[in-house]
Amino acid sequence: MNRRNFLSLTGTLTGGALLLPDFLFSYGSQKNLIIGQQCLVFVQLNGGNDGLNTFIPFEDPLYYDLRPKIAISKNEVISTTKGMGFHPALKGFAQMQQNGDLSVIQNVGYPEPNRSHFRSQEIWQTASDSNKYVNEGWLGRYLDLQCVNHTPTAGINIDSIDNLSLKGESPNSITVKDPDRFKIKNIKETDVLSENPSLDFVRKVANSVLEGSEEIQKALTQSTTQTSYPKNALGKNLEWIARLIKGNLNSKVYYTSQGGYDTHDNQLVIQKNKFNELDSAIFSFYQDLKQANLLQNVTIVVFSEFGRRVKDNGNGTDHGTAAPMFVIGGQNQGRVIGSNPNLADLSQGDLKHQIDFRSVYASLLKEKMDFDYTKIGIKNQALQGLF
């Protein structure tokens, strides 16, 4: 079997029980926790969230001229500053900004933008140029350099499907749908000896997966939920992440996602509903970490693969380009970074990006992980003023 294909099978588990024979765990192990207390939590908004109706240029008359059917009225916009303000459903976001714990990075994108969901997500997840294809994710490459041995809990993806961002040459991350059910059982079986290097590799990987399961269960037993989370999928995923962080799992990267942002029609209703879920889940996570005195160690990044077109299509919007990113916690500066969207200077009806998303990645790696981002192929300069 191709080694990379094998990694995709053995390095990723989606909850439930995995049964493996004893001999797979006979290979010696060496725990390799990464030094440092900082971790990154990514919340990916799948479908292309409309940034202009998220952080709203309510003082620009062009916003209302170009969006006669879906613009958010001025009297609904909340937490206004310098001509911008939040969607009314994002009360928690507004509160976190007022507390000095949330930074808005405006007009984030990349050159030669791709308006395909899958390709644009791939570009964001690999940090590649739009005309290049990379097999490993940017966080997977980072973990490859940080982890001497297989360390499956260095990255945790709370989801039912893998995330390319975390894919590396070695399986240093695990995808788990339900951490509470992620328990590996061991079937007694006679040890099998082999001089086959591939089998030795299998043993190493299987051993690390067993350790990953044990570490996750240990972290869960050492933590409880002190904050009330909303009863939606994202809320549950972030509750799991909070439990693992508070339980000292020591993962460097956590990832989860929320879908449903492809709002070609009925955008006002759909986006409001998605924002209600997003806001309540993120704010509960924020309060949980703050109460545990861990917010300074956890940096939360909220983003989507692209924004929407500036002009509405009637009841919704079509695929666009640049949009805001949000960074919460991690002792960020609580600023609005970048100029307001320029609705008078568009490219084929879309916003022109001003900040490359890889500059944000570079800042996260440099300032929070104390890591030289050029080692994983990021050439952009780190964004200044975020931390």
Side-chain angles (χ1 to χ4, degrees), residues 261-321:
Y261 285 93
D262 197 14
T263 52
H264 291 279
D265 192 21
N266 198 26
Q267 175 169 313
L268 288 176
V269 173
I270 294 174
Q271 194 179 40
K272 179 182 178 181
N273 290 338
K274 301 310 296 184
F275 281 170
N276 282 331
E277 294 179 6
L278 175 69
D279 188 76
S280 58
I282 292 282
F283 195 65
S284 293
F285 185 54
Y286 164 82
Q287 290 180 306
D288 199 356
L289 294 174
K290 201 165 188 178
Q291 184 175 341
N293 197 30
L294 288 169
L295 186 64
Q296 69 274 13
N297 295 341
V298 182
T299 304
I300 308 157
V301 184
V302 183
F303 73 99
S304 192
E305 71 267 24
F306 49 62
R308 315 294 292 188
R309 294 185 74 81
V310 174
K311 183 174 176 55
D312 68 39
N313 64 16
N315 291 318
T317 49
D318 298 322
H319 299 177
T321 54

Side-chain angles (χ1 to χ4, degrees), residues 12 40-46 118-128 134-144 154-157 159 161-175 253-257 301 303-305 325 357 361 364-365 376 378:
T12 300
L40 305 174
V41 178
F42 293 89
V43 179
Q44 182 174 317
L45 309 182
N46 291 326
F118 300 107
R119 178 56 186 153
S120 193
Q121 287 176 4
E122 188 176 64
I123 291 167
W124 277 78
Q125 291 169 355
T126 61
S128 68
V134 179
N135 290 323
E136 283 78 37
W138 72 284
L139 292 168
R141 301 197 300 273
Y142 160 70
L143 293 176
D144 279 341
I156 303 291
N157 180 37
D159 210 331
I161 59 173
D162 292 349
N163 191 295
L164 177 59
S165 293
L166 291 164
K167 181 183 177 184
E169 284 291 339
S170 296
N172 294 313
S173 65
I174 295 179
T175 294
V253 181
Y254 296 88
Y255 220 108
T256 192
S257 63
V301 184
F303 73 99
S304 192
E305 71 267 24
M325 290 179 72
F357 73 91
Y361 288 177
L364 293 169
L365 291 174
I376 62 168
I378 294 180

Side-chain angles (χ1 to χ4, degrees), residues 134-374:
V134 179
N135 290 323
E136 283 78 37
W138 72 284
L139 292 168
R141 301 197 300 273
Y142 160 70
L143 293 176
D144 279 341
L145 294 177
Q146 291 291 86
C147 302
V148 178
N149 299 318
H150 301 308
T151 310
T153 57
I156 303 291
N157 180 37
I158 308 292
D159 210 331
S160 58
I161 59 173
D162 292 349
N163 191 295
L164 177 59
S165 293
L166 291 164
K167 181 183 177 184
E169 284 291 339
S170 296
N172 294 313
S173 65
I174 295 179
T175 294
V176 188
K177 184 177 181 180
D178 183 347
D180 198 37
R181 295 181 59 240
F182 181 52
K183 301 173 182 178
I184 296 182
K185 298 178 181 178
N186 208 354
I187 298 178
K188 295 295 180 182
E189 191 168 305
T190 304
D191 285 3
V192 177
L193 301 177
S194 172
E195 297 180 357
N196 187 335
S198 296
L199 182 54
D200 288 343
F201 178 74
V202 170
R203 290 169 173 166
K204 289 181 180 180
V205 173
N207 189 60
S208 71
V209 171
L210 175 63
E211 289 182 1
S213 171
E214 292 173 346
E215 290 297 319
I216 286 175
Q217 295 310 311
K218 181 180 177 182
L220 292 179
T221 61
Q222 293 178 345
S223 64
T224 58
T225 299
Q226 301 295 329
T227 302
S228 176
Y229 280 81
K231 297 185 183 304
N232 59 55
L234 182 60
K236 189 62 180 176
N237 289 353
L238 290 176
E239 182 180 358
W240 284 127
I241 292 174
R243 288 276 307 278
L244 295 175
I245 293 172
K246 291 187 292 183
N248 296 313
L249 182 61
N250 203 36
S251 298
K252 294 293 97 181
V253 181
Y254 296 88
Y255 220 108
T256 192
S257 63
Q258 181 196 26
Y261 285 93
D262 197 14
T263 52
H264 291 279
D265 192 21
N266 198 26
Q267 175 169 313
L268 288 176
V269 173
I270 294 174
Q271 194 179 40
K272 179 182 178 181
N273 290 338
K274 301 310 296 184
F275 281 170
N276 282 331
E277 294 179 6
L278 175 69
D279 188 76
S280 58
I282 292 282
F283 195 65
S284 293
F285 185 54
Y286 164 82
Q287 290 180 306
D288 199 356
L289 294 174
K290 201 165 188 178
Q291 184 175 341
N293 197 30
L294 288 169
L295 186 64
Q296 69 274 13
N297 295 341
V298 182
T299 304
I300 308 157
V301 184
V302 183
F303 73 99
S304 192
E305 71 267 24
F306 49 62
R308 315 294 292 188
R309 294 185 74 81
V310 174
K311 183 174 176 55
D312 68 39
N313 64 16
N315 291 318
T317 49
D318 298 322
H319 299 177
T321 54
M325 290 179 72
F326 305 97
V327 174
I328 303 160
Q331 295 181 312
N332 76 84
Q333 294 295 310
R335 300 174 54 199
V336 176
I337 300 174
S339 58
N340 293 352
N342 188 345
L343 305 186
D345 183 22
L346 305 178
S347 175
Q348 299 179 357
D350 289 322
L351 292 172
K352 295 179 179 179
H353 88 279
Q354 294 181 337
I355 297 174
D356 194 299
F357 73 91
R358 289 160 292 199
S359 293
V360 183
Y361 288 177
S363 181
L364 293 169
L365 291 174
K366 178 183 177 182
E367 303 296 337
K368 307 313 298 180
M369 300 289 104
D370 193 25
F371 179 79
D372 180 0
Y373 52 86
T374 63

Side-chain angles (χ1 to χ4, degrees), residues 11-39:
T12 300
L13 301 169
T14 54
L18 176 67
L19 303 178
L20 291 174
D22 263 353
F23 78 86
L24 289 180
F25 307 113
S26 61
Y27 219 83
S29 65
Q30 178 182 349
K31 185 174 295 186
N32 178 57
L33 295 180
I34 306 166
I35 297 173
Q37 297 179 326
Q38 298 290 322
C39 70

